[in-house]
Amino acid sequence: MCGIVGYIGSQEAFPILIKGLHRLEYRGYDSAGVALLNDKGELNVFKTKGKVANLEKFCESKDISGTIGIAHTRWATHGEPSDVNAHPHYSQSKNIALIHNGIIENYLTLKEFLKNEGFSFKTETDTEVLVQLIEYMKGKYSCELYDAVQHALSQVEGAYAIGVIERGRPDVLIAARKGSPLVIGIGENEFFLGSDASPIIEYTKKVVYVEDEEVAKLTRDKDLEIRNLSDVVVKHDVQELKFSLSEIEKGGYPHFMLKEIFEQPKALKMCMNGRVNEQLKEIKLSGIIDNMERFRSAKRILISACGTSWHAGLIGKYLFEYYCKIPVEIEVASEFRYRNPVIFSDDILIAISQSGETADTLAAIELAKASGAFTYGICNVVGSSIARATHSGTYTHAGPEIGVASTKAFTTQVAVLIMMSATIGRQLGTVDNQQYLQLVEGLETIDEKIEEILQQASKIEGISKIFTYARNFIYLGRGYNYPVALEGALKLKEISYIHAEGYPAAEMKHGPIALIDEEMPIVVIAPKFGIYDKILSNVQEVKSRKGRIIAIVTKGDTQIKELADYVIEIPESIDSLSPLLTVVPLQLLSYYVAIAKGRDVDQPRNLAKSVTVE
Ligand code: G6P
């Protein structure tokens, strides 16, 4: 969702801001803009609907000079995507410019108030209300911009990450956050601002994560100053970014998504590094060991997440119930948070999130904490809001994921859930020696098995070209591979815009079977385990209705091969580890279908990578 970039220092700001906006494109957006203060202290705002490239073109003949500026990519919430609704927004006098990520919930009340005070509005956005409120506060208290921002934010309900600059004050940039992420990069006599670290990493590895209700003052040639809304100075920790620039570049791949699919063997190795011990044949997760008493006494685990992370969570339910014998409830975070769920103090809430910033998942954590439950995060982004809000957790260490459609984040989330269930089950005595060894050895070799699947990319590309005609797809799976069917369908929808549904294979008879004809592609995930015979019957049911079957089968399978139109083979594994393999051909299938249809796979329409509003 919306992206924020800011700069103050001795370099020209515009190129830094534009590069930063490009780095944030992956978050999803529909318009872009920039505000700069030139050396005369004049404030110039330029903004356009569409891509950052449009903005660059638009700015070609404009005054883009200045060593301080703020820039933004907007994902529309209040008001359609348009030039006028794009950020930055000016205040009425055009003395102040502001960029904002989040939603000001009481903006209508504030707008009415400001109208009565003589302010008029040019847009339907909540953001314009905030910049006008800052101007109002400045007048009311005859104060500096910093104080005016503090006064304004204390009136605001909702979520925000903001950057603000003022005409005639090229020495200061104000930033603040509540609910939406914000990072400050500290360089040599210069500061950078970002809604995540990707626009900053090129210049400095030293960052400060702004906390809720904190207002930061980035002053030229001075130290960073952060205060809370009550004007009390807050001590801030300078942290070191752990990823490198190359990790957020395409590295020779045509798209981030393809790069990230191919990175999965390495990402899983990183995720298991120091956790799966090949010599000792042991799995150790410190987050679990340190909190084992909580897990031992837990009567129930709740899992809350959104999108792909929710699919990983569903696999987690199957794992925890099988290996740990702990009952698990899983629910999408947006439903969980608003239905007054019963949460006990001996429950454990596991929140799963790639970005660590998803607003609904964050709210589910707060709800669980308020009921005294223990919260555990599984996040990819180090230092993210969810990682900080939970009592403990495990990072997936997949490296930055830029493609909007989640791939390596999913497999590493599943790997963490497998390691968690093995560790907990071992401690509880619900996992026997043989099961434990199977899990350890299975995880040790998983990367090689994924490599083997990746070698079939061109075969999968060939299959995908046959199905670009399709307007619908059905994905079927059972057991651990039912969530994979949901994930496969989601991947296809997200990037190819083909309608796709995932079903537990036996559920097909209760409705979707009516859709099957000789045009309908059915992807069946059918590795050879316990309920193979059952899924074989489901395949026969599809075949007799002339559906076109693409089957994911275990190497050497003969029975499904005979029935399916196309097969993709995966190496053997145990049931509970199979999602790490079966999902890979589905990711590739979606990718190649989307490419064949000419879609923008890394930035699919209307989607955002990090959903920071509910
Ligand atoms: C968005 C992304 C999905 C992601 C979901 C949850 O919808 O496009 O790829 O699965 O958010 O995000 P999270 O960062 O919490 O895993």
Side-chain angles (χ1 to χ4, degrees), residues 11-310:
Q11 304 185 56
E12 277 302 298
F14 186 77
I16 294 172
L17 296 173
I18 289 293
K19 203 171 207 185
L21 289 183
H22 279 299
R23 295 245 187 260
L24 291 173
E25 282 190 298
Y26 79 95
R27 295 169 71 93
Y29 71 105
D30 41 54
S31 53
V34 59
L36 298 145
L37 281 168
N38 65 18
D39 57 5
K40 293 186 214 117
E42 289 162 348
L43 178 57
N44 295 310
V45 172
F46 309 115
K47 48 191 195 173
T48 52
K49 186 179 162 184
K51 296 283 182 190
V52 176
N54 295 0
L55 176 67
E56 281 179 271
K57 212 164 178 348
F58 180 71
C59 290
E60 270 166 12
S61 54
K62 306 283 192 297
D63 175 10
I64 49 163
S65 64
T67 54
I68 169 172
I70 50 177
H72 190 264
T73 47
R74 174 177 187 251
W75 190 87
T77 55
H78 295 63
E80 56 167 10
S82 66
D83 293 354
V84 67
N85 285 339
H87 301 205
H89 285 282
Y90 271 129
S91 61
Q92 179 137 301
S93 66
K94 294 199 167 178
N95 280 343
I96 303 171
L98 174 135
I99 50 174
H100 167 224
N101 177 8
I103 292 179
I104 308 297
E105 282 166 9
N106 59 340
Y107 81 107
L108 286 175
T109 317
L110 294 170
K111 195 170 186 173
E112 271 319 298
F113 167 79
L114 289 165
K115 276 184 180 167
N116 290 335
E117 295 291 327
F119 284 80
S120 59
F121 291 82
K122 294 193 169 56
T123 78
E124 307 136 67
T125 64
D126 51 335
T127 302
E128 193 188 7
V129 174
L130 181 54
V131 71
Q132 304 276 43
L133 188 62
I134 294 170
E135 179 150 298
Y136 166 78
M137 293 295 181
K138 220 173 163 274
K140 180 173 175 195
Y141 293 101
S142 306
C143 58
E144 293 284 313
L145 181 64
Y146 187 79
D147 304 291
V149 170
Q150 279 178 318
H151 286 304
L153 292 179
S154 58
Q155 301 301 314
V156 155
E157 287 163 22
Y160 54 79
I162 58 169
V164 198
I165 55 174
E166 185 183 14
R167 178 187 303 274
R169 292 297 312 272
D171 54 333
V172 64
L173 192 165
I174 309 295
R177 126 174 207 164
K178 184 183 174 193
S180 297
L182 196 63
V183 190
I184 296 168
I186 303 178
E188 290 292 324
N189 300 320
E190 57 186 355
F191 292 111
F192 303 84
L193 191 66
S195 35
D196 62 44
S198 57
I200 297 175
I201 183 92
E202 197 164 341
Y203 310 100
T204 177
K205 289 214 160 188
K206 284 202 265 171
V207 293
V208 171
Y209 293 97
V210 182
E211 299 285 346
D212 278 352
E213 302 200 338
E214 288 182 356
V215 188
K217 193 171 183 181
L218 282 56
T219 314
R220 200 184 292 279
D221 302 326
K222 284 208 178 146
D223 288 341
L224 175 65
E225 186 185 329
I226 302 185
R227 289 170 186 261
N228 63 20
L229 291 185
S230 316
D231 206 31
V232 175
V233 175
V234 184
K235 259 192 81 201
H236 51 268
D237 290 336
V238 179
Q239 302 193 23
E240 172 117 3
L241 291 175
K242 292 278 186 283
F243 64 96
S244 64
L245 184 60
S246 65
E247 287 180 77
I248 55 165
E249 294 189 322
K250 286 188 196 146
Y253 286 90
H255 297 97
F256 282 110
M257 183 182 177
L258 192 64
K259 176 185 175 228
E260 286 155 8
I261 292 173
F262 274 81
E263 269 174 356
Q264 287 178 108
K266 189 179 98 198
L268 283 162
K269 274 276 166 212
M270 294 299 293
C271 175
M272 293 186 284
N273 190 18
R275 294 166 172 174
V276 177
N277 188 319
E278 300 189 14
Q279 269 86 46
L280 298 175
K281 297 286 171 213
E282 209 175 55
I283 300 175
K284 268 219 169 103
L285 278 184
S286 54
I288 298 296
I289 304 290
D290 295 349
N291 297 289
M292 196 52 219
E293 281 321 303
R294 293 298 305 229
F295 282 92
R296 200 184 296 284
S297 56
K299 304 253 174 345
R300 186 172 68 149
I301 291 176
L302 306 168
I303 301 180
S304 205
C306 303
T308 288
S309 299
W310 182 77

Side-chain angles (χ1 to χ4, degrees), residues 306-309 352-356 358 404 406 413 494 608-609 611:
C306 303
T308 288
S309 299
I352 309 177
S353 174
Q354 187 287 128
S355 61
T358 303
V404 164
S406 190
Q413 286 165 347
E494 282 178 313
K609 180 73 184 158
V611 180

Side-chain angles (χ1 to χ4, degrees), residues 220-513:
R220 200 184 292 279
D221 302 326
K222 284 208 178 146
D223 288 341
L224 175 65
E225 186 185 329
I226 302 185
R227 289 170 186 261
N228 63 20
L229 291 185
S230 316
D231 206 31
V232 175
V233 175
V234 184
K235 259 192 81 201
H236 51 268
D237 290 336
V238 179
Q239 302 193 23
E240 172 117 3
L241 291 175
K242 292 278 186 283
F243 64 96
S244 64
L245 184 60
S246 65
E247 287 180 77
I248 55 165
E249 294 189 322
K250 286 188 196 146
Y253 286 90
H255 297 97
F256 282 110
M257 183 182 177
L258 192 64
K259 176 185 175 228
E260 286 155 8
I261 292 173
F262 274 81
E263 269 174 356
Q264 287 178 108
K266 189 179 98 198
L268 283 162
K269 274 276 166 212
M270 294 299 293
C271 175
M272 293 186 284
N273 190 18
R275 294 166 172 174
V276 177
N277 188 319
E278 300 189 14
Q279 269 86 46
L280 298 175
K281 297 286 171 213
E282 209 175 55
I283 300 175
K284 268 219 169 103
L285 278 184
S286 54
I288 298 296
I289 304 290
D290 295 349
N291 297 289
M292 196 52 219
E293 281 321 303
R294 293 298 305 229
F295 282 92
R296 200 184 296 284
S297 56
K299 304 253 174 345
R300 186 172 68 149
I301 291 176
L302 306 168
I303 301 180
S304 205
C306 303
T308 288
S309 299
W310 182 77
H311 295 155
L314 191 51
I315 295 173
K317 173 183 166 71
Y318 287 36
L319 287 164
F320 290 130
E321 294 202 338
Y322 181 73
Y323 287 114
C324 312
K325 311 290 177 233
I326 303 175
V328 179
E329 282 176 31
I330 165 145
E331 198 164 353
V332 285
S334 54
E335 284 300 308
F336 179 78
R337 66 181 286 196
Y338 282 120
R339 68 168 180 83
N340 296 316
V342 179
I343 308 171
F344 300 107
S345 55
D346 54 5
D347 283 340
I348 293 179
L349 178 110
I350 299 177
I352 309 177
S353 174
Q354 187 287 128
S355 61
E357 300 296 345
T358 303
D360 285 320
T361 310
L362 201 51
I365 293 165
E366 296 307 335
L367 196 65
K369 277 163 76 177
S371 303
F374 182 70
T375 56
Y376 197 90
I378 301 177
C379 296
N380 190 33
V381 177
V382 177
S384 55
S385 302
I386 291 177
R388 285 179 290 140
T390 40
H391 293 109
S392 184
T394 301
Y395 282 118
T396 50
H397 292 313
E401 191 180 69
I402 309 287
V404 164
S406 190
T407 53
K408 63 177 180 173
F410 174 79
T411 39
T412 50
Q413 286 165 347
V414 173
V416 166
L417 290 161
I418 293 169
M419 291 189 282
M420 283 175 75
S421 53
T423 312
I424 299 167
R426 184 69 164 172
Q427 296 282 326
L428 297 180
T430 48
V431 169
D432 66 28
N433 286 345
Q434 195 203 345
Q435 287 173 322
Y436 191 68
L437 206 62
Q438 274 183 336
L439 288 170
V440 178
E441 289 178 348
L443 286 175
E444 275 167 22
T445 52
I446 206 77
D447 57 325
E448 292 157 26
K449 292 181 179 173
I450 295 179
E451 292 286 6
E452 219 178 301
I453 300 170
L454 293 171
Q455 280 164 20
Q456 300 179 64
S458 49
K459 175 182 172 181
I460 298 170
E461 183 176 10
I463 297 173
S464 69
K465 285 188 180 141
I466 301 163
F467 288 97
T468 46
Y469 75 86
R471 300 190 57 201
N472 300 286
F473 262 72
I474 293 177
Y475 286 69
L476 302 176
R478 298 185 77 134
Y480 287 104
N481 284 299
Y482 157 51
V484 175
L486 298 179
E487 176 59 10
L490 178 66
K491 283 293 82 85
L492 190 75
K493 268 188 277 220
E494 282 178 313
I495 56 169
S496 74
Y497 318 146
I498 294 174
H499 173 244
E501 294 299 334
Y503 273 93
E507 241 338 82
M508 184 184 64
K509 286 197 278 292
H510 300 286
I513 201 163

Side-chain angles (χ1 to χ4, degrees), residues 500-525:
E501 294 299 334
Y503 273 93
E507 241 338 82
M508 184 184 64
K509 286 197 278 292
H510 300 286
I513 201 163
L515 300 172
I516 299 178
D517 60 17
E518 58 282 354
E519 300 242 305
M520 177 68 93
I522 320 275
V523 180
V524 187
I525 308 154

